[in-house]
Amino acid sequence: MSNNMGHGGSDGNDLIPMGTSDMGGQPVRTVNLRDLHTFLEVKSNFRDWVKNRIQDFGFLENQDFVTAIEIYRGGERRDYHGTLDMAKELAMVERNEKGKQARLYFIECERRAKEGPALPDLSDPLVLQHLLADHLSKRIEAERRAVTAEKVAEAATETVAAFDRIANADGSMCITDAAKALQVRPSDLFKFLRQNAWIYSRPGKAGDIAHQDKIKIGYLEHKVTTVSRSDGSEKTVEQVRVTPKGLAKLAKLLGGSGGAPATLPLLRPNGLGGSSVHHAPATE
């Protein structure tokens, strides 16, 4: 039995009034079988007629019909609301002129429904309830998407601002310090820079050397330091250092500062992404 029953929305000049019933959470066009029983001029009483027809033809509740308890003359009675298919079948088995007339009427109702979507009957509480629920659901989803988009935009703005602050900072840092700033292991960053043509080493010589194109772009620079030996002599040490601009570029390539993966991705030499490994030349 359906206790959320809506039946109404008669089309005014309908031969047999039709309404809308809730079946499985969806509004379905139905006929009050008591009205159909009256129109067909069936000689047996409604209660016996409808129960016998349901049993004889195997109609299923909540699929072919729903029931509702309605107040009638100060008491209660059970009404049955059937789909148009059920109503057509019930009309056909009466085998009389009224049955033929009702069946043709239901066929015409179906034809009109297939020609185009009818305007919703806002006088029907059940139809109105479904329309309002659908509208509310769509509005909530639209607001959720708008909030998500706003948060993504704010995060992107903050990330760009962070990169700009890094790029505009003063001074450079050694690769080890750059790895700390990017929150990755120094050994991983050294490996990444070598495999992606930022730095390379010459056979037989200690230390790394920056690729010339990375120096020209302003990502890397060389710093020469004079170190005193214990015997009083001096030696010159050249060190590759990452500029603020280079650190900002690395932060973008590695997914953002503080968010780089433990195993760094191998990017193409032009920094556009990919999985190819570039082997640095022996000399430059």
Side-chain angles (χ1 to χ4, degrees):
M1 182 185 72
S2 172
N3 56 13
N4 183 23
M5 192 69 196
H7 197 271
S10 173
D11 296 333
N13 296 323
D14 282 350
L15 189 67
I16 302 170
M18 289 192 296
T20 307
S21 298
D22 190 344
M23 289 191 186
Q26 295 296 325
V28 177
R29 199 70 166 159
T30 55
V31 177
N32 189 324
L33 299 185
R34 192 179 295 275
D35 292 336
L36 178 60
H37 174 267
T38 301
F39 178 83
L40 294 174
E41 300 177 352
V42 179
K43 292 181 171 56
S44 60
N45 65 65
F46 171 72
R47 182 177 178 181
D48 293 338
W49 173 78
V50 73
K51 287 187 175 181
N52 289 335
R53 289 292 188 253
I54 289 172
Q55 183 176 355
D56 292 344
F57 295 95
F59 294 120
L60 300 176
E61 188 168 5
N62 293 320
Q63 179 175 318
D64 300 304
F65 68 94
V66 290
T67 61
I69 300 297
E70 299 184 4
I71 303 299
Y72 180 72
R73 294 181 180 177
E76 293 183 347
R77 73 178 186 183
R78 184 184 301 274
D79 274 351
Y80 294 72
H81 303 271
T83 63
L84 289 184
D85 283 340
M86 180 180 182
K88 281 191 301 182
E89 193 165 351
L90 291 176
M92 182 176 62
V93 298
E94 289 303 317
R95 299 183 183 278
N96 59 22
E97 188 60 31
K98 285 285 188 177
K100 180 180 179 182
Q101 188 179 359
R103 180 173 175 274
L104 292 176
Y105 164 70
F106 294 136
I107 291 175
E108 175 63 17
C109 290
E110 288 181 325
R111 184 192 66 79
R112 286 184 299 180
K114 291 178 180 179
E115 286 180 350
L119 293 175
D121 183 5
L122 299 182
S123 66
D124 190 325
L126 185 61
V127 172
L128 185 59
Q129 177 184 344
H130 279 282
L131 287 174
L132 290 175
D134 183 61
H135 174 73
L136 181 60
S137 176
K138 290 180 179 179
R139 181 172 179 178
I140 292 174
E141 177 63 17
E143 290 179 353
R144 184 191 66 80
R145 291 182 179 179
V147 170
T148 300
E150 185 177 352
K151 289 181 178 179
V152 171
E154 289 178 355
T157 300
E158 292 175 359
T159 300
V160 171
F163 287 151
D164 289 342
R165 287 195 298 271
I166 292 174
N168 294 326
D170 294 328
S172 61
M173 61 181 68
C174 67
I175 296 176
T176 299
D177 289 340
K180 293 178 182 178
L182 295 169
Q183 296 185 17
V184 298
R185 292 181 299 183
S187 58
D188 288 335
L189 184 57
F190 272 101
K191 182 179 179 180
F192 174 81
L193 295 177
R194 291 189 183 106
Q195 291 178 329
N196 291 278
W198 283 56
I199 63 174
Y200 67 98
S201 59
R202 288 175 176 165
K205 292 189 177 182
D208 293 291
I209 300 174
H211 278 277
Q212 194 62 34
D213 62 325
K214 298 302 185 291
I215 295 176
K216 289 181 179 179
I217 296 173
Y219 291 163
L220 300 175
E221 65 180 15
H222 282 156
K223 182 178 181 180
V224 178
T225 305
T226 302
V227 179
S228 298
R229 293 191 178 97
S230 57
D231 60 0
S233 61
E234 295 181 342
K235 70 172 183 177
T236 300
V237 178
E238 189 173 13
Q239 182 186 48
V240 176
R241 297 180 68 85
V242 181
T243 67
K245 183 178 179 180
L247 189 64
K249 179 65 175 180
L250 287 172
K252 292 179 181 179
L253 293 177
L254 302 179
S257 180
T263 302
L264 299 179
L266 300 182
L267 307 178
R268 295 191 182 95
N270 59 10
L272 298 179
S275 58
S276 60
V277 178
H278 176 78
H279 298 284
T283 59
E284 177 169 302

